[in-house]
Amino acid sequence: MSGGSGGGGGGGGPSLMDSLFQRTLDDLIKGIRLHTPGAAQSSFISKSLDEIRREIKSTDLQTKSTAVQKLTYLHSLHGVDMSWAAFHAVELTSSPYFLHKKTGYLAASLSFRPSTDVLLLLTNQLRKDLSSANQHEVSLALECLSVICTPDFARDLTPDIFTLLTSSKNFIRKKSIACLLMVFSQYPDAVRVCFKRLVENLESTDNAQTLAATVGVFCELASKEPRSYLPLAPEFYRILVDSRNNWVLIKVLKIFAKLAKLEPRLAKKVVEPICDLMKRSEAKSLIFECVRTIVTSFHDYEFAVKLAVSKIKEFLLDTDLNLKYLGLQGLLLVAPNHLWAVLENKEVVIKSLSDVDRNIRLEALRLVMSMVSDDNVTEISRVLIGYALKSDPEFSNEILRSMLTTCSRNVYEIIIDFDWYVSLLGEMARIPHCQNGEEIEYQLIDIGMRVKDVRPELVRVGRDLLIDPALLGNPSIHRILSASAWISGEYIRFSKNPFEIIEALLQPRTNLLSPSIKALYIHSLFKVLSFCLHSFLFPTNSSLSRVIDEPDFTYSESEGEGETKTFSNLFTKESTVNMLTLVVTSLTPLTETHDVEVHERVRNVLGLAKLAQEEISREVNQNDFKTSIIVRLINDALSEDLGPVSLTAQERVVIPDGLFLEENLGNLDTICANVNIPVSESFSLVKHVLTDVDYVSSQQNEESSEMSGVESTSTSLLSKHRKKHGLFYLPSDIPENDSRNFPPANDPNNQKDNDVEDLVRLTEESLVLKRKSNVPRPRPVVVKLDEGEKFTVTRAKTESNDDLISGAVRDVLLGNESSSYKGKSHDSHLKDGKSEIGDSSRRKSKKKHKNVEENGERSKKKSGGRHKGRQRADGGVNVAVQNPVIPDFLL
Amino acid sequence: MIRAVIIMNDQGKPRLVKFYDHQPMEKQQEIIRSIYGVLCSRAENVSNFVHADSTFGQDTRLVYKTFATLYFIVIFDDSENELAILDLMQVFVETLDKCFSNVCELDIIFNFNKVHTILDEIILGGQVVEMNSSDVVKAVNDISGLEKNPNSILRVSKSISGWQGR
């Protein structure tokens, strides 16, 4: 330390002392290692950086080189920024000394970004080094280019790389081929120049590495757009049969896996050689690649699949865990088309669920999930729950997660017995370390809304979860509890003992819940309370209304009677008074809470409870109770079911006349200045409409005046509001038989009239299609929304993925190949095809050339008068276009 | 293609970091940290594959191998064969062993440039260009020879450090 910093006193240029006593990279590394990680080390690094900043300005290349070396090291392994030193790295690449050049290139390839500003300064140096006589200099330039290549580099250096493709030195040739991939991806037009020579390199049997590099490039290209490479199939076939190099064979197999999907006749031809390879090869990597190729792309060939599965079995039984893991993966690939292969190895798979290796367990789990069908879902779930109980928390959650996704797939397609499934969800919540609260919460509520028949069971499961005080101690399942509370509130009419639920909702440990869930608890309490009061005040009505509410709800007569009986016994005056006392005493402390939501809801409940308490204890005639009226109204309001809402509902809203969505809302401020628009959401809307009658459109005006006319009861207002929403979400002019029709969110009439029937028919159809089974118990109706809901989303996603994958290369390659394809039979088409390519590629590279001729011209100009390169490039284009196709191979 | 090659020690300290597709520095460090997090939680004698989809996109894999105190890590996509990449790592380690005779972590720490040279002879632009370790050694020796080219200026400081270094 003393040497460097002491000697370099001169503030300006570095002195002789600096270069004499410059710290080398070794010294720097030693220094870093001497300092303990943390503050000491980082202060040492920043001190060294100061030195480097000074040294790097040195006119002496050696000093500079060492400084850049140190900086590169710090950048690569300690994350130090070196973008400021980019110019110095470029400077070093032009040094006559190999060491400096190498240092410069290493720094460039490790630190340069497409955005680095001095990037273009490197172009000439790269060109110079690419044509150097020293193969290692060429190699440096290629390595650097392969990492930092930009469209500009690729465009300017294509001719140089083109020259290297026929280099007599394999050392150069293999590297330039590997580098080509990056050049193609940055500058698709390079394909037109270099493609022919790349193909020629497929025939270079003299050097295995060159061939491997070439096949590797084709493998990468084909993975993006395989169709363009079909004409090269004969070449690949020759390699597949002749080559003895495993690396090459693996890549060729990968190419065929892609090609065979496009051309069935090809599959017929290559499946034999692949099987031979699989039989005779000793290399596990090659065998596995054969297996993978067969099971993904040749799964129609029974004998090949059988052979592949036998190899998979060998892998599965191997003691090497890597092979076992890959075996499971192979099995997973077979599963979609040949489930028998999985069933054959069922034991190994199930046993692997408890393997020490997490990877293997995960693969096994995926395999088990692939076996699940509606026949065995109960059985498999039982096994899996068993494994979830004894596995480590992470894997246990993994199991639960896959069960949840598999079972809920396609709107619970594989679930026949929903009662069972709901109790399974309850069971999952009780598994220690369960982290899937959110998903279980979602599914509980989702099923509640979609499947009417399961609601009694759902309430039972919810109750069991709610009354267990131990569950409140686990924050990760609070979400499930919140779902249970919601279900208990919403479907309280199915509860055997509502008082029990009130007690559960009020138990002291609920203070462990977060405010938002606590608020939900209290709101559910409100629902249960109003139900209980209703049952108490209108004892005959309660059982009656239940039947009216659920006309299509079928439960056995005896059960219904029994419940009615218990209900009338349950709601005595005494029990009701006790309940009210419990509610009031438990909730009163919460009026002090700071959370607005909880506070608000507590006030609501207390208001109702206190009123009822007072009136019931006064022992006046029940019919005079104010509570009676309120409770009836509330109960009416709450008795309507909430339906699921389609994700695409919003899109289908027809824009009302007179509403201009794209209107500038700038002058809204002046209007709003006079009106006090309530900030809160949802129900305040009604009030909002009433206040600024003058400003809304005539249509709404009509409605609101209508509303203000019938303001008499809250229920009618509420139903109006709902009706309005119904109208709003669902334009009534949708044809009745439109398949996109879906049940409205809050419109019970509409739903009952046609949609439910529609849906019943739909689900029945899907059931009939799937299975003419002899299920002992009919599958309940599952309310599905429009089919498009989910699929549109996934489809859009894959499309955009395709776009990404195909990239720029595809257009040009596709055009090039297809034109060469046509070239053989129809020469006249050639020109059109060519200009097409020109167009597409020009669009891609955003150049403004008018036609193909000019397009060709451009590459000449760019090559800067290097005649040789130009001529060759031109030749390349022509030959590439006439590249012969051997279609009879395919026939 | 191969997306990255990383060597780190069992403390999570990177010893060699080479990304073949552009990743900003912060992302690189984050990736290294997350990889270490995954690897150090894995028991010994388990399989060597890890899914890397979350950091490198779909269908990417990570293969690692432990040699003494070091993790050798290769990240690649579905254009490569898992077992072949394991072989490749074997070639890489063999080459290191030949170049440093009985390679240990210190060799890799103090030969930052040379390790990069070796790697560049094996993988270029994410493509494997050489699988024969003796050919790699030959090329690396040629390069070392060029670096010590008598024509290049030998600084006093360099020779001083040379005495201290060993």
Side-chain angles (χ1 to χ4, degrees):
Chain A
M1 186 177 297
S2 56
S5 52
S15 66
L16 178 67
M17 294 299 273
D18 259 339
S19 28
L20 268 180
F21 296 103
Q22 186 186 19
R23 240 189 262 271
T24 62
L25 178 58
D26 273 15
D27 299 335
L28 177 77
I29 296 170
K30 273 179 204 151
I32 292 175
R33 286 169 65 76
L34 275 179
H35 293 81
T36 46
Q41 200 176 71
S42 51
S43 83
F44 175 77
I45 289 178
S46 61
K47 208 174 282 170
S48 312
L49 262 178
D50 291 342
E51 278 170 30
I52 291 170
R53 273 176 206 279
R54 206 168 48 240
E55 291 159 10
I56 213 165
K57 291 186 198 123
S58 165
T59 47
D60 174 38
L61 277 180
Q62 178 61 31
T63 312
K64 191 188 280 285
S65 163
T66 308
V68 170
Q69 229 173 43
K70 290 192 284 185
L71 188 58
T72 311
Y73 175 84
L74 289 176
H75 170 77
S76 178
L77 298 185
H78 293 271
V80 169
D81 171 55
M82 69 173 290
S83 53
W84 55 272
F87 181 76
H88 300 285
V90 175
E91 215 182 336
L92 280 178
T93 57
S94 60
S95 162
Y97 300 111
F98 186 79
L99 178 64
H100 303 163
K101 193 184 281 296
K102 185 162 168 290
T103 305
Y105 275 124
L106 181 64
S109 84
L110 287 182
S111 75
F112 280 16
R113 304 280 163 252
S115 58
T116 304
D117 48 359
V118 296
L119 217 50
L120 280 177
L121 295 179
L122 204 55
T123 315
N124 272 322
Q125 191 55 45
L126 279 171
R127 179 173 293 140
K128 209 172 140 204
D129 287 329
L130 283 176
S131 47
S132 160
N134 183 338
Q135 61 175 3
H136 291 294
E137 284 184 357
V138 182
S139 151
L140 282 180
L142 284 171
E143 203 287 320
C144 185
L145 188 62
S146 74
V147 177
I148 64 165
C149 194
T150 63
D152 286 337
F153 275 143
R155 190 190 58 229
D156 297 346
L157 298 172
T158 298
D160 303 271
I161 295 181
F162 175 75
T163 316
L164 293 178
L165 287 178
T166 47
S167 163
S168 56
K169 292 173 184 151
N170 277 317
F171 183 80
I172 302 287
R173 201 140 42 106
K174 69 183 184 193
K175 288 190 173 189
S176 56
I177 290 166
C179 183
L180 212 50
L181 194 62
M182 189 68 174
V183 173
F184 282 178
S185 74
Q186 294 294 323
Y187 179 62
D189 274 1
V191 173
R192 289 149 47 73
V193 180
C194 302
F195 199 72
K196 175 72 164 80
R197 286 213 174 157
L198 190 61
V199 175
E200 279 169 6
N201 272 302
L202 276 180
E203 283 146 34
S204 64
T205 37
D206 53 327
N207 184 289
Q209 283 308 331
T210 310
L211 183 60
T214 316
V215 178
V217 170
F218 276 111
C219 178
E220 295 284 342
L221 292 174
S223 74
K224 282 169 191 136
E225 171 50 51
R227 190 165 290 281
S228 319
Y229 306 95
L230 265 178
L232 291 173
E235 301 290 332
F236 296 135
Y237 180 79
R238 189 182 49 73
I239 296 169
L240 178 71
V241 177
D242 294 346
S243 178
R244 286 291 171 272
N245 181 321
N246 289 338
W247 194 269
V248 172
L249 286 170
I250 286 171
K251 295 279 181 180
V252 171
L253 282 171
K254 282 191 182 289
I255 296 173
F256 274 122
K258 293 277 182 328
L259 296 186
K261 283 182 186 159
L262 302 172
E263 181 52 84
R265 288 171 296 178
L266 190 61
K268 213 167 142 192
K269 184 97 181 173
V270 292
V271 69
E272 288 280 356
I274 295 178
C275 285
D276 286 347
L277 219 54
M278 190 154 42
K279 278 182 214 152
R280 73 159 193 257
S281 176
E282 295 286 308
K284 296 282 187 208
S285 54
L286 183 56
I287 295 178
F288 181 66
E289 201 55 53
C290 290
V291 169
R292 183 153 55 190
T293 311
I294 293 286
V295 300
T296 51
S297 301
F298 300 87
H299 44 73
D300 295 336
Y301 296 84
E302 206 66 37
F303 67 97
V305 173
K306 282 214 173 98
L307 182 62
V309 171
S310 73
K311 290 287 174 191
I312 289 177
K313 207 175 256 172
E314 280 173 31
F315 275 52
L316 285 177
L317 299 175
D318 204 293
T319 46
D320 183 348
L321 287 180
N322 283 334
L323 295 186
K324 188 174 176 185
Y325 170 73
L326 292 177
L328 289 171
Q329 284 215 315
L331 216 47
L332 203 59
L333 293 172
V334 194
N337 298 304
H338 300 274
L339 201 60
W340 58 266
V342 186
L343 296 173
E344 219 169 72
N345 295 294
K346 203 158 101 187
E347 268 177 49
V348 189
V349 173
I350 298 274
K351 241 186 243 163
S352 305
L353 278 176
S354 50
D355 201 282
V356 281
D357 189 346
R358 186 164 173 273
N359 286 348
I360 290 184
R361 287 197 307 251
L362 281 179
E363 291 306 312
L365 178 61
R366 287 168 69 186
L367 271 171
V368 171
M369 281 351 260
S370 75
M371 286 191 270
V372 172
S373 71
D374 43 9
D375 298 325
N376 60 13
V377 61
T378 335
E379 193 187 335
I380 289 184
S381 297
R382 203 177 52 238
V383 174
L384 286 179
I385 288 280
Y387 274 99
L389 279 168
K390 56 183 180 183
S391 303
D392 59 295
E394 198 184 349
F395 187 60
S396 163
N397 278 308
E398 200 66 53
I399 294 181
L400 296 186
R401 202 171 309 134
S402 3
M403 286 169 77
L404 287 168
T405 5
T406 310
C407 291
S408 65
R409 199 169 44 212
N410 259 339
V411 203
Y412 312 98
E413 194 177 47
I414 56 167
I415 307 291
I416 306 291
D417 183 354
F418 274 91
D419 283 0
W420 162 79
Y421 185 58
V422 166
S423 55
L424 178 75
L425 289 177
E427 220 174 305
M428 285 183 181
R430 288 172 185 278
I431 287 178
H433 318 294
C434 170
Q435 299 284 338
N436 292 288
E438 217 162 305
E439 181 61 24
I440 298 178
E441 176 199 27
Y442 171 77
Q443 291 196 9
L444 282 173
I445 293 180
D446 194 42
I447 292 175
M449 292 199 290
R450 286 180 195 269
V451 193
K452 273 191 174 170
D453 296 10
V454 81
R455 285 172 192 169
E457 177 67 11
L458 204 55
V459 170
R460 195 193 61 73
V461 169
R463 167 207 169 264
D464 289 354
L465 293 174
L466 281 181
I467 61 171
D468 189 347
L471 294 180
L472 284 162
N474 179 2
S476 50
I477 62 162
H478 281 179
R479 300 290 297 265
I480 306 175
L481 292 177
S482 98
S484 309
W486 184 83
I487 286 163
S488 303
E490 189 66 22
Y491 308 120
I492 186 65
R493 57 182 182 278
F494 300 113
S495 169
K496 295 223 166 60
N497 186 352
F499 294 140
E500 205 176 44
I501 295 194
I502 290 197
E503 277 167 36
L505 290 172
L506 285 172
Q507 60 183 298
R509 277 171 72 91
T510 52
N511 57 14
L512 295 169
L513 296 167
S514 71
S516 62
I517 296 176
K518 182 85 189 164
L520 209 143
Y521 259 62
I522 295 167
H523 189 61
S524 301
L525 178 71
F526 180 71
K527 290 179 186 168
V528 181
L529 181 67
S530 70
F531 173 78
C532 290
L533 286 174
H534 192 260
S535 308
F536 169 64
L537 294 169
F538 310 98
T540 41
N541 272 9
S542 78
S543 55
L544 213 87
S545 74
R546 261 149 39 93
V547 180
I548 293 166
D549 274 351
E550 304 291 328
D552 46 352
F553 176 65
T554 49
Y555 48 89
S556 68
E557 280 301 310
S558 59
E559 210 181 310
E561 275 171 25
E563 272 179 46
T564 322
K565 218 185 281 167
T566 36
F567 265 60
S568 53
N569 292 342
L570 218 56
F571 298 108
T572 59
K573 186 173 168 189
E574 193 196 350
S575 62
T576 311
V577 169
N578 283 345
M579 169 189 79
L580 289 170
T581 326
L582 175 70
V583 170
V584 171
T585 46
S586 321
L587 284 188
T588 311
L590 280 176
T591 50
E592 306 292 315
T593 180
H594 289 296
D595 189 87
V596 194
E597 191 71 18
V598 175
H599 190 93
E600 169 100 18
R601 303 220 182 266
V602 166
R603 288 281 176 195
N604 287 345
V605 178
L606 277 182
L608 179 65
K610 279 181 177 161
L611 182 69
Q613 204 175 23
E614 197 184 316
E615 288 192 337
I616 293 173
S617 60
R618 264 198 280 131
E619 304 212 11
V620 280
N621 181 9
Q622 281 193 1
N623 293 333
D624 298 340
F625 280 3
K626 264 190 266 168
T627 328
S628 303
I629 304 162
I630 296 177
V631 164
R632 203 180 57 234
L633 294 178
I634 293 176
N635 232 44
D636 283 354
L638 291 177
S639 63
E640 282 176 42
D641 279 344
L642 292 169
V645 180
S646 160
L647 278 179
T648 51
Q650 182 85 49
E651 282 169 28
R652 268 177 261 142
V653 176
V654 169
I655 299 170
D657 289 341
L659 178 64
F660 300 104
L661 286 180
E662 270 136 49
E663 202 176 19
N664 189 357
L665 297 179
N667 51 0
L668 205 65
D669 287 344
T670 51
I671 302 172
C672 290
N674 309 329
V675 189
N676 233 346
I677 295 178
V679 194
S680 67
E681 321 110 28
S682 58
F683 287 96
S684 61
L685 202 96
V686 177
K687 202 175 153 199
H688 168 73
V689 172
L690 286 175
T691 39
D692 35 46
V693 179
D694 297 348
Y695 302 104
V696 289
S697 70
S698 60
Q699 196 186 353
Q700 278 169 310
N701 209 337
E702 214 177 275
E703 261 194 48
S704 59
S705 62
E706 198 185 329
M707 275 181 177
S708 51
V710 285
E711 213 180 359
S712 54
T713 60
S714 60
T715 28
S716 63
L717 238 184
L718 206 60
S719 65
K720 269 281 183 273
H721 170 77
R722 284 193 169 152
K723 198 175 159 198
K724 186 178 156 229
H725 270 255
L727 276 174
F728 207 70
Y729 292 142
L730 295 167
S732 50
D733 53 355
I734 285 183
E736 294 290 281
N737 52 356
D738 190 344
S739 62
R740 302 194 323 157
N741 217 343
F742 64 100
N746 291 321
D747 199 333
N749 299 325
N750 195 358
Q751 194 172 342
K752 269 165 199 159
D753 284 343
N754 44 48
D755 284 300
V756 164
E757 275 155 31
D758 241 26
L759 284 157
V760 171
R761 192 170 41 76
L762 254 173
T763 28
E764 267 170 7
E765 267 171 20
S766 68
L767 272 175
V768 170
L769 267 175
K770 291 263 147 51
R771 21 183 283 107
K772 291 228 191 289
S773 63
N774 42 357
V775 207
R777 179 191 170 127
R779 186 174 191 260
V781 176
V782 182
V783 178
K784 278 189 205 173
L785 301 181
D786 51 321
E787 291 293 325
E789 155 185 4
K790 263 178 192 159
F791 300 107
T792 45
V793 176
T794 45
R795 209 181 301 134
K797 216 186 265 172
T798 48
E799 266 171 23
S800 70
N801 266 352
D802 266 355
D803 277 354
L804 282 174
I805 290 165
S806 59
V809 186
R810 184 171 64 176
D811 291 348
V812 175
L813 270 184
L814 188 63
N816 203 343
E817 276 300 319
S818 64
S819 69
S820 73
Y821 213 102
K822 283 176 205 153
K824 207 172 181 206
S825 43
H826 314 285
D827 270 345
S828 55
H829 284 190
L830 192 75
K831 235 177 188 165
D832 304 24
K834 227 174 136 190
S835 60
E836 238 175 66
I837 310 157
D839 273 329
S840 65
S841 52
R842 209 175 308 128
R843 230 179 297 123
K844 273 268 161 352
S845 55
K846 288 181 185 140
K847 299 285 163 193
K848 286 156 201 154
H849 293 269
K850 291 272 152 53
N851 54 39
V852 196
E853 277 73 35
E854 261 190 54
N855 207 356
E857 206 83 42
R858 177 167 37 133
S859 60
K860 291 182 209 166
K861 275 176 193 153
K862 294 291 175 191
S863 65
R866 290 160 45 86
H867 288 269
K868 232 175 161 181
R870 178 221 297 182
Q871 275 159 8
R872 284 205 196 151
D874 280 355
V877 175
N878 292 334
V879 197
V881 166
Q882 285 157 14
N883 181 30
V885 181
I886 311 174
D888 38 318
F889 168 81
L890 301 171
L891 297 167
Chain B
M1 74 182 258
I2 292 167
R3 303 290 184 87
V5 176
I6 297 167
I7 303 178
M8 65 167 89
N9 72 358
D10 50 12
Q11 313 289 309
K13 278 204 182 123
R15 297 303 185 202
L16 169 88
V17 179
K18 178 84 183 182
F19 282 85
Y20 291 98
D21 53 355
H22 168 77
Q23 301 280 357
M25 204 63 218
E26 304 75 42
K27 185 83 197 291
Q28 290 189 13
Q29 297 207 313
E30 189 193 310
I31 289 169
I32 291 167
R33 264 196 304 274
S34 70
I35 290 176
Y36 178 67
V38 172
L39 295 193
C40 68
S41 69
R42 290 181 64 79
E44 276 174 56
N45 306 322
V46 294
S47 63
N48 298 114
F49 305 113
V50 176
H51 282 275
D53 303 38
S54 52
T55 31
F56 283 87
Q58 233 188 341
D59 288 329
T60 49
R61 302 288 185 80
L62 181 155
V63 171
Y64 71 98
K65 231 175 170 173
T66 36
F67 292 95
T69 54
L70 291 173
Y71 288 117
F72 282 69
I73 299 150
V74 179
I75 298 148
F76 56 94
D77 61 20
D78 57 358
S79 302
E80 306 292 336
N81 179 294
E82 295 84 345
L83 295 169
I85 294 287
L86 272 175
D87 289 346
L88 177 76
M89 289 165 87
Q90 192 60 43
V91 171
F92 185 35
V93 175
E94 257 173 43
T95 316
L96 287 174
D97 210 43
K98 281 181 189 165
C99 288
F100 298 116
S101 57
N102 260 330
V103 66
C104 69
E105 191 181 344
L106 276 182
D107 292 317
I108 292 173
I109 294 172
F110 282 102
N111 290 283
F112 175 77
N113 291 311
K114 194 165 180 182
V115 175
H116 268 286
T117 310
I118 295 169
L119 181 64
D120 289 349
E121 287 306 315
I122 300 177
I123 303 170
L124 188 137
Q127 298 292 306
V128 177
V129 288
E130 188 57 71
M131 281 289 274
N132 185 329
S133 69
S134 37
D135 284 354
V136 178
V137 173
K138 199 174 146 288
V140 170
N141 287 340
D142 283 357
I143 291 170
S144 305
L146 281 172
E147 286 177 358
K148 294 188 190 112
N149 191 334
N151 290 339
S152 75
I153 308 156
L154 275 175
R155 305 296 311 189
V156 184
S157 61
K158 174 108 175 125
S159 41
I160 288 174
S161 79
W163 303 332
Q164 292 170 340
R166 300 290 143 181

